[in-house]
Amino acid sequence: MLGKLTSDFYTSPFTYTLSLPTRPSGTLNDVDHDGQKDTGVMVFAVAYWTNTWGDPYLERRDQGGGGWSTAYASIKVRSG
């Protein structure tokens, strides 16, 4: 989903809006670690990329060839 900055990015804290879908299509994750299989929850995070090429859409070359920003994200990720 694309978001829109609603305040000056260089003045902390900045604000933004995010238009979410009525029916999200994320992966269900069982995160309670209780040894029982549960339906789980969908986990979403906000990540920021620059629009280097200036068109109205974020594209693969704006993302540096990747799909997840670890520089400007609202979560910390670890594997394992």
Side-chain angles (χ1 to χ4, degrees):
M1 310 308 322
L2 292 177
K4 178 181 176 184
L5 293 177
T6 55
S7 69
D8 180 13
F9 176 77
Y10 295 104
T11 302
S12 181
F14 69 88
T15 60
Y16 59 90
T17 60
L18 189 60
S19 299
L20 298 175
T22 303
R23 293 183 186 207
S25 59
T27 301
L28 290 168
N29 299 279
D30 183 1
V31 297
D32 62 7
H33 305 290
D34 66 357
Q36 298 177 14
K37 184 139 178 98
D38 300 306
T39 302
V41 297
M42 291 182 201
V43 179
F44 296 89
V46 175
Y48 164 78
W49 282 275
T50 59
N51 187 348
T52 305
W53 302 98
D55 57 353
Y57 300 102
L58 187 66
E59 55 187 274
R60 183 170 297 272
R61 61 185 177 168
D62 289 322
Q63 299 172 18
W68 185 261
S69 170
T70 56
Y72 305 107
S74 63
I75 61 169
K76 292 184 180 182
V77 178
R78 75 178 178 121
S79 60

